[in-house]
Amino acid sequence: MSTKYGKLQQQFLCCYPVNKMAWSSVKLPLNWEDQQELAIPVRRSYLGGLPQHLMHLLGDQEICTTIIQRLCGPMAENKASTGSSTYAYKHYLLEPGAHITLRESTSFVAEGTTGLCTWEAALALGDYLLQHRDLVRGKNIVELGAGAGLLGIMLKLPALQLQVGQVLLTDGSEPCVQLMRENINLNFPDTPKEQIPQAEQLNWAAVSKFPWDSYAKTDLLMAADVIYDDSQFDALLGAMDYLYSRRGGGLETLLASTVRNVDTLHKFMTQLGDSGYKVTPCANVSACASHFCRDHTAAVQIISIRR
Ligand SMILES: C[S@@+](CC[C@H](N)C(=O)[O-])C[C@H]1O[C@@H](n2cnc3c(N)ncnc32)[C@H](O)[C@@H]1O
């Protein structure tokens, strides 16, 4: 990565919104060499991402899933009919020598799930874990609603030397599990199975049917952007209750949520309290040094949950 335009290149490669890129790092006039350096190949469709603009326009406001489905569904069909791909590769450059490539959907909702692309809360939790490496060192980790698989892949990346134990990524959506496995293979070619994250289908409502005995006992649960649909709260709490009961004391959950609707988050917090959980906000989340290119428009809240 060039140091002069390193930030811009990092942002281009992970499809960061064009209007929010670090353009101030470009000092005019540009000589020929600088222009060449800035000529980074970018997908045309990413430049005009209507759903992205909508998300930014709405800011903190809660976004109705139906609107997103209506907006993104026809767009996806249209792309399919013209032969364009609805997936793109994003490259997350974290540190020198440490990068992740993910195949992700270009739509926020696709194939009946919101999990085929990476959301801000996952990026924020990734930053938080990289700032607090002791939270994951030596731990066996399970992620609920893991989507495209970014966090688990990050945790096992050899260049980051996080020294985590077993990492199990789960999601209720079959397309997400397929995508996670594809992304794991992409980032860990020729790596022994014991050293890479595992990906399995787990619907929270069916947590007791999962073959937990085939995996190491869980030390840390994590979940990003799973608190948006209150019809799923009981299932999520049921899954947590099951795992906390299995593990006994000592299990911690790190939950990262984009603050879109305060009432929705508050409702989940209340249910957590009613179920006997102790919630501690994680300090200095917004002050975390950013390894990921994050858009800070909407705040992300990270909490630690113990019982
Ligand atoms: C907004 S996405 C977040 C994905 C990823 N954690 C991220 O932040 O990029 C929510 C994820 O939760 C999963 N999910 C929602 N309800 C679920 C349930 N009842 N059981 C398991 N997974 C569920 C979805 O399939 C989706 O992958």
Side-chain angles (χ1 to χ4, degrees):
M1 202 192 324
S2 123
T3 46
K4 195 165 183 188
Y5 298 120
K7 191 70 201 169
L8 269 178
Q9 289 182 340
Q10 187 191 22
Q11 291 172 334
F12 269 116
L13 287 169
C14 69
C15 302
Y16 191 73
V18 175
N19 59 344
K20 300 193 172 190
M21 287 179 177
W23 294 114
S24 57
S25 62
V26 179
K27 300 285 177 247
L28 299 174
L30 287 179
N31 63 29
W32 192 246
E33 205 175 295
D34 282 350
Q35 289 190 35
Q36 300 265 14
E37 213 172 305
L38 274 174
I40 306 160
V42 183
R43 279 186 311 115
R44 199 163 173 271
S45 58
Y46 140 56
L47 295 171
L50 186 58
Q52 284 172 332
H53 279 271
L54 180 68
M55 298 290 276
H56 291 129
L57 192 70
L58 293 181
D60 290 354
Q61 207 181 316
E62 187 178 28
I63 297 162
C64 166
T65 309
T66 319
I67 292 180
I68 299 175
Q69 273 167 339
R70 289 206 179 133
L71 181 69
C72 301
M75 281 176 64
E77 280 162 25
N78 188 35
K79 279 180 191 162
S81 66
T82 56
S84 309
S85 168
T86 56
Y87 283 84
Y89 289 92
K90 289 191 179 184
H91 309 279
Y92 299 91
L93 311 185
L94 304 179
E95 294 177 0
H99 63 270
I100 297 171
T101 295
L102 294 190
R103 184 168 173 264
E104 295 188 19
S105 169
T106 54
S107 302
F108 289 115
V109 182
E111 301 184 47
T113 177
T114 51
L116 297 171
C117 60
T118 300
W119 292 77
E120 284 295 308
L123 303 180
L125 185 52
D127 274 334
Y128 188 73
L129 296 177
L130 291 176
Q131 283 287 296
H132 300 86
R133 298 175 181 222
D134 49 315
L135 289 173
V136 294
R137 190 170 299 122
K139 304 263 176 78
N140 297 313
I141 301 173
V142 171
E143 183 173 3
L144 302 175
L150 175 82
L151 287 176
I153 290 171
M154 180 197 88
L155 288 172
K156 281 293 197 184
L157 219 53
L160 293 175
Q161 297 189 316
L162 294 172
Q163 295 163 353
V164 298
Q166 200 177 70
V167 173
L168 171 61
L169 302 181
T170 71
D171 202 285
S173 147
E174 174 66 24
C176 285
V177 177
Q178 293 304 332
L179 185 64
M180 273 192 266
R181 289 181 178 156
E182 189 181 326
N183 283 332
I184 290 168
N185 290 335
L186 201 59
N187 287 277
F188 301 95
D190 312 319
T191 312
K193 197 176 168 217
E194 321 75 68
Q195 293 167 28
I196 64 175
Q198 307 300 307
E200 297 294 344
Q201 190 167 13
L202 169 66
N203 191 310
W204 306 328
V207 67
S208 61
K209 299 200 174 83
F210 190 82
W212 292 106
D213 289 339
S214 310
Y215 296 89
K217 73 176 167 45
T218 311
D219 303 307
L220 180 70
L221 268 182
M222 58 182 191
D225 212 341
V226 294
I227 309 301
Y228 53 92
D229 178 358
D230 60 6
S231 71
Q232 296 300 307
F233 288 2
D234 286 344
L236 179 55
L237 280 162
M240 288 175 61
D241 282 345
Y242 180 86
L243 291 165
Y244 276 75
S245 302
R246 261 185 77 85
R247 176 65 168 79
L251 179 58
E252 179 181 18
T253 300
L254 289 174
L255 177 70
S257 309
T258 296
V259 185
R260 295 191 191 90
N261 182 315
V262 177
D263 292 339
T264 309
L265 279 181
H266 184 256
K267 186 173 175 182
F268 186 70
M269 296 305 151
T270 305
Q271 282 189 238
L272 276 175
D274 292 347
S275 307
Y277 290 99
K278 290 185 209 70
V279 172
T280 314
C282 295
N284 292 326
V285 172
S286 55
C288 264
S290 228
H291 285 76
F292 291 98
C293 297
R294 279 203 283 134
D295 174 5
H296 293 262
T297 312
V300 175
Q301 177 191 73
I302 301 180
I303 56 171
S304 159
I305 305 168
R306 289 183 182 275
R307 191 156 74 174

